[in-house]
Structures are given as C-alpha cells and as structure tokens.
Amino acid sequence: MGQSPSSPLSKSSSSPSPPLRRRLLSSMAPPMPAHPGPPPTGGASSPFAAPPPARDHTQDLPDEILTLVFASLTPAERNACSLTCARWKEVDAATRHRLSLDARAMLGYAAPALFARFTAVTKLALRAARGSGADSLNDGGATAVAATLPSDRLARLKLRGLRQLSDAGLGSLAAAVPALRKLSVASCTFGPKAFVAVLQSCPLLEDLSVKRLRGLPDTSGAGAAITEEILFPHASALRSVCLKDLYSALSFVPLIASSPNLRSLKILRCSGAWDLPLELIAARAPGLVEIHLEKLQVGDRGLAAVSACTNLEVLFLVKTPECTDEGIISVAQNCHKLRKLHIDGWRTNRIGDRGLMAVARGCPDLQELVLIGVNPTVQSLRMLSEHCRVLERLALCGCETVGDTEIICLAERCAALKKLCIKGCPVSDRGMGALNGGCPSLVKVKLKRCREVTYECVEQLKIVRGASFSISLDIVLEHVVGAPSENGVQEAGQAQVTELTGQMAALDLPSNAAGAQSFAQANSRMRSVMSALRRRFGNPPPM
C-alpha cells in the first residue's frame, strides 16, 4: 500500500522540522563574543577577556639614564620621544642642548614659549627655507628673539637663508649672546659692517664662518688695493676664520688682520687678487698653523707670504693654477713643522719634482701628502721616502708619471706608510705586487681607475698581508670614443640604471613634512634622470 506525498513520514524526510532547523543553524553559526564586562574574579579566566596591562619599566629609570638615552637620538627621534609622556617631555626639554628652528617672520612671537621650555640650549640654528622670501625672520623678529635667548649659555649660533635680516638685526642677536664662541652665517643679505657689532658684543668669539653673503659690495676688481674703511675691533680671541663663495671677500681682510691669535684660515672660491692680502694677514697673524686656499687668484708671492708663518702645520692648495715650484720651495724652506700638504695642481704641471724635493728636505715631520694632478717621478718620491720617515698617508690621483717603478720605490722605502690611495695612475700588477713584501705598516689601500690592476693581484695581496689588511679596487669601464657596439651601449645604460637604482634604495625615508617634500623632489629628479638614460641607452633587458 503506497504512501501519499502528504504523509508525515514524507514531510519528515524531505525537510527538517522548524525546531530542528533552528538548532542546526545555531550549531553552524560562529560563537558570539562574551558580553563586555569586568573579568571574573575567580575560577577559570574567559578566553575573551583582555589581558592586564604590562608594567611600564621605563618609569623606574632615573632621569640621568633617560638623559643618556636621549643624547644618542637624532632630533626627530627626540621630538617623538618627548610626546610619550609628561615626564619624558620635561627630561628632554631640560637636557636638550641643540635646537634648530624654522626662522619665519612669526618666530618672534613663539620665541618666549620655546626658550622657556628649552632652558639648557647652548647651540641654536635659525634656518629659513628656500623660497621663503619676505616670510623669513626680519629685524623686528630678530629683536624679539634676542630678548628671550639664554644669553649666559648660548655658545654657538648658526644663521641660514635670512634674507630679510640686515646689519641691525644681526647686531641685536649678537648683543644678546655675549658668551658666543662660534658664529656661522650663510646665504644672508647683511654686509661686513654687521660683524663690527658682532666682535664688539662677543669678545669670546673663537670661530667665524661666512659663506655666500648677498649684501656685500663688489670688490673683485680691487686688484692689489685693500680698503680699510671698516674699522674692526681687536679680536684677540678669534682662532678660526672661514670665507667661502664670496665675490667680495677682500672686505674681510681687515677683520682677519685684527686677529693676532688666529690659528686657522680657510679662503675657498673667493674672487679677487690675494697675494697682497696674504702678506698683510701673515704679518698681523704670524701664528697661523692651518691654511686652506681653494680656487683663488694667488701665486708664488702669496705662498712666500704664507711661508712667514713658521708654525704652519697644515697647507691645502686646491686649484690655484698660478702657484709653481718656486712658491712650494719657499714654504718648504721656512715651514719645517708642516705635517699635512694637499696639492691639487689642476693638471697645469707647474708643481713637480723640484717643489716636492724641497718639501722632502725641509719638512721631515710630514705625515700626510695628497697630490692631485701633479706628476712626481721616482726622483722626488725617493727623497720623500728617505727624508719623511713618519709619512703615514699618501694619495696619488691623476698622476700620469706614477707607474710601476714609482710604486716599487715607495714599497721599498716607506716603512711608516699606513694608508695608500691611487686613482687614475698607470700602475699594473707588477707595481702592486711589490706591496707583498714592502711597506710593513700598510693597513689600507684604495685603487680606482687603475685598469691594469687585476682582481687576482688584489686577492693575492689580501692573502699575503693577512686579515688586518684592507684593499679595494674600483675599475671604471671607459668606452672608446667612436662607434661603440649596440651591446656595449646597452650594457653601459644598464649599469648606470642599476647604479641609480641602488642609490635610490639607499635613501633614507623622510621623518617630517619638510623631509617628505625634499624626498619627493629628489625622487622626481631621479625619475627624470632614469628617463633620460632610457632614452639614451634603451630599456635594460629583463632579468
């Protein structure tokens, strides 16, 4: 007897009853979270209860330990740490000695609160961003800032890009910091008269650096004349002066001459004739021990004036094409305490064996010698090796006459040599192989653009001299001018693109808004360079 579709058995087999369906659905649904509330006080803890907060062990650290930790952080990291808690903020403010501020026009209104918080500042930098224009700190803002400066502690002051600041503004800042010992200004618009007030207000000033001033009168065509219209006060405490990228640096000659205890003088890329000014400076400051001259119109007469500083220990001559062997000889004959000598001959061939042999005879304490674009031979190198017994650092860059014979001479005679740098010289494995048994004190060698030196020779040197010896070889492949092959061009383009990619990977990420903006600009420039390389060499083949 058949069963009808409407029988109870048929209904139960085709679909479950409503209570059973609800039970099945509830069993498949995910478990509901426990109702939020206080954790149970006894028994097994609920798996959904939040764990108790961990103990903050930093609260147990004394302020002295936090001070040491903060001292090892960058300014951006210290700014982040100061926002952690009120205690960290107080410790950071009470122990921060260096402060860098965005020198906008409104800084005068914020200065009282800033210096009331940071009470231990000894180094202050006021920087105006490029393109700030009229929004940078002006004389009125400088007066307001000066009224709140820690006058009894501030020892270093750095001004950058303050194009709205005049002589009066710098004078107001200088008057507020009588304990100032170091002043550095760059890309500002005031002139040399402003430094009269600086020397009058800061009698303890020891270090002065002036770069790229825009408010100076043009004295580049003054020739041999030196105007002393500006009467600078006696600066007996001044020890170091640096003038860089000034088209009227001759205006500062009276300031330098008024510093009888000057020890270091750097004149870099400044216009004007400097032979006569150097005579005046050497006569007024005979105690100079360090002189840097770079891209200057100076000749043998200027070097003869420098030779009057008999205590001279460091001399840099960088791209001064009018200097010859005669000037070097005059220095060597009088400056017997010379320890460091850097000469960038700019491939003029005016300084050679005669000058270097005079250095060997007159400067027995020479420890560091750097020759760029100078062509010494075995004759001068042998004398340097024999007379300069404490020569420890030697660099030969772009020296066309330095080959295997010269390197063998150095290996046989330079017993004290510790560091050797050779760039763009025609040396080969034969010359470098002499270092296997020569120069017993040698610990570091750097080779660049020495195409005749192989990696096999480098590895042999490493094995022979042991683990304490370091040597690096950088071979730059240069393509012959003409019709290079397509593969050669492709490989060159790929190598340059790979190098740029590596440089981009090494960039640090920005830590603030200004850093993000500069990073974006650098990234945009890098994309432009890579696009140009691809247009020139084509896309690199897929790896």
Side-chain angles (χ1 to χ4, degrees):
M1 182 176 185
Q3 294 178 351
S4 65
S6 60
S7 63
L9 179 61
S10 171
K11 291 181 179 180
S12 63
S13 61
S14 62
S15 61
S17 62
L20 179 61
R21 183 185 300 113
R22 285 194 294 269
R23 288 196 299 272
L24 292 174
L25 291 176
S26 63
S27 63
M28 292 186 296
M32 296 297 292
H35 183 71
T41 57
S45 60
S46 172
F48 306 104
R55 174 176 173 77
D56 185 5
H57 296 283
T58 61
Q59 297 298 328
D60 300 332
L61 295 176
D63 292 349
E64 293 78 9
I65 300 299
L66 281 179
T67 300
L68 294 176
V69 174
F70 289 163
S72 64
L73 303 179
T74 63
E77 293 170 343
R78 292 193 66 150
N79 293 340
C81 289
S82 65
L83 301 178
T84 303
C85 61
R87 176 173 174 248
W88 285 27
K89 181 179 179 180
E90 293 176 0
V91 172
D92 170 64
T95 59
R96 184 176 292 211
H97 301 290
R98 182 176 299 177
L99 191 62
S100 180
L101 302 178
D102 186 5
R104 296 186 179 273
M106 303 298 292
L107 179 61
Y109 297 98
L114 284 172
F115 292 108
R117 173 185 172 187
F118 300 101
T119 58
V121 174
T122 60
K123 304 173 185 178
L124 176 64
L126 303 178
R127 306 173 186 268
R130 289 186 178 181
S132 57
D135 192 30
S136 63
L137 189 69
N138 53 25
D139 292 348
T143 303
V145 171
T148 59
L149 288 177
S151 59
D152 57 337
R153 292 184 305 276
L154 195 64
R156 296 187 181 185
L157 179 62
K158 182 182 294 185
L159 308 178
R160 292 288 185 272
L162 305 183
R163 294 176 175 83
Q164 300 298 318
L165 196 66
S166 67
D167 296 358
L170 179 61
S172 62
L173 289 174
V177 286
L180 192 68
R181 294 183 178 274
K182 184 175 181 179
L183 175 63
S184 175
V185 299
S187 302
C188 299
T189 54
F190 42 77
K193 292 183 179 180
F195 294 92
V196 175
V198 170
L199 296 179
Q200 290 175 345
S201 303
C202 308
L204 302 179
L205 188 66
E206 298 177 354
D207 192 321
L208 176 63
S209 177
V210 183
K211 304 175 183 178
R212 299 181 298 278
L213 289 191
R214 303 173 183 271
L216 299 178
D218 188 3
T219 59
S220 58
I226 300 177
T227 59
E228 297 195 16
E229 300 175 354
I230 306 174
L231 298 178
F232 290 96
H234 192 71
S236 59
L238 202 59
R239 297 293 187 272
S240 175
V241 172
C242 177
L243 306 177
K244 184 177 180 180
D245 295 327
L246 301 177
Y247 58 82
S248 55
L250 293 176
S251 301
F252 288 89
V253 172
L255 183 151
I256 301 173
S258 64
S259 309
N261 297 319
L262 197 65
R263 295 293 178 266
S264 175
L265 175 63
K266 299 179 182 180
I267 308 176
L268 315 175
R269 300 194 294 271
C270 296
S271 59
W274 284 90
D275 285 338
L276 182 59
L278 285 176
E279 291 181 354
L280 177 61
I281 292 172
R284 303 283 183 87
L288 282 168
V289 298
E290 181 177 3
I291 296 179
H292 292 230
L293 306 177
E294 178 178 341
K295 283 190 176 181
L296 291 186
Q297 184 182 344
V298 60
D300 294 338
R301 181 179 177 181
L303 291 183
V306 167
S307 67
C309 303
T310 57
N311 293 323
L312 190 66
E313 298 181 3
V314 180
L315 177 61
F316 280 62
L317 295 177
V318 180
K319 297 178 180 179
T320 53
E322 297 182 14
C323 295
T324 67
D325 282 330
E326 301 300 330
I328 297 296
I329 292 172
S330 62
V331 171
Q333 290 177 346
N334 297 287
C335 304
H336 302 298
K337 298 180 180 180
L338 199 64
R339 295 184 297 104
K340 293 183 180 181
L341 177 61
H342 288 220
I343 301 176
D344 186 347
W346 222 2
R347 299 183 183 275
T348 57
N349 291 326
R350 291 192 170 190
I351 299 177
D353 280 342
R354 290 183 58 243
L356 295 177
M357 287 189 292
V359 171
R361 288 189 295 265
C363 307
D365 297 331
L366 191 67
Q367 299 177 5
E368 179 175 315
L369 177 62
V370 176
L371 302 177
I372 304 175
V374 180
N375 294 323
T377 64
V378 175
Q379 187 178 5
S380 58
L381 292 178
R382 181 183 294 112
M383 288 195 63
L384 286 168
S385 304
E386 294 175 351
H387 291 78
C388 303
R389 295 290 185 179
V390 293
L391 185 62
E392 297 180 350
R393 297 174 295 277
L394 176 63
L396 304 171
C397 307
C399 304
E400 300 174 353
T401 58
V402 175
D404 292 338
T405 305
E406 286 71 23
I407 300 301
I408 293 173
C409 174
L410 294 174
E412 293 175 349
R413 292 172 171 81
C414 288
L417 192 64
K418 295 182 178 180
K419 296 182 180 180
L420 176 63
C421 178
I422 305 175
K423 295 184 180 181
C425 299
V427 300
S428 66
D429 290 351
R430 174 174 167 265
M432 298 305 300
L435 296 178
N436 284 323
C439 298
S441 303
L442 194 63
V443 296
K444 185 175 182 180
V445 175
K446 183 176 182 180
L447 300 172
K448 189 172 184 179
R449 296 196 299 272
C450 299
R451 290 172 290 180
E452 301 298 326
V453 180
T454 64
Y455 287 101
E456 290 76 7
C457 177
V458 171
E459 293 300 326
Q460 181 66 23
L461 280 171
K462 291 181 180 179
I463 294 173
V464 173
R465 300 199 67 101
S468 60
F469 178 73
S470 172
I471 182 171
S472 62
L473 174 61
D474 185 5
I475 299 179
V476 179
L477 298 179
E478 298 179 0
H479 297 279
V480 180
V481 179
S485 63
E486 183 178 354
N487 292 334
V489 173
Q490 185 74 21
E491 291 173 1
Q494 183 179 359
Q496 295 187 40
V497 172
T498 305
E499 181 181 359
L500 288 176
T501 304
Q503 293 176 0
M504 291 179 63
L507 291 176
D508 293 331
L509 294 177
S511 58
N512 50 30
Q517 182 179 4
S518 62
F519 179 80
Q521 294 174 355
N523 196 12
S524 176
R525 290 194 296 269
M526 187 64 70
R527 287 197 299 267
S528 302
V529 172
M530 294 188 68
S531 300
L533 286 174
R534 290 193 178 96
R535 289 194 299 269
R536 174 66 177 86
F537 300 107
N539 291 322
M543 300 299 292

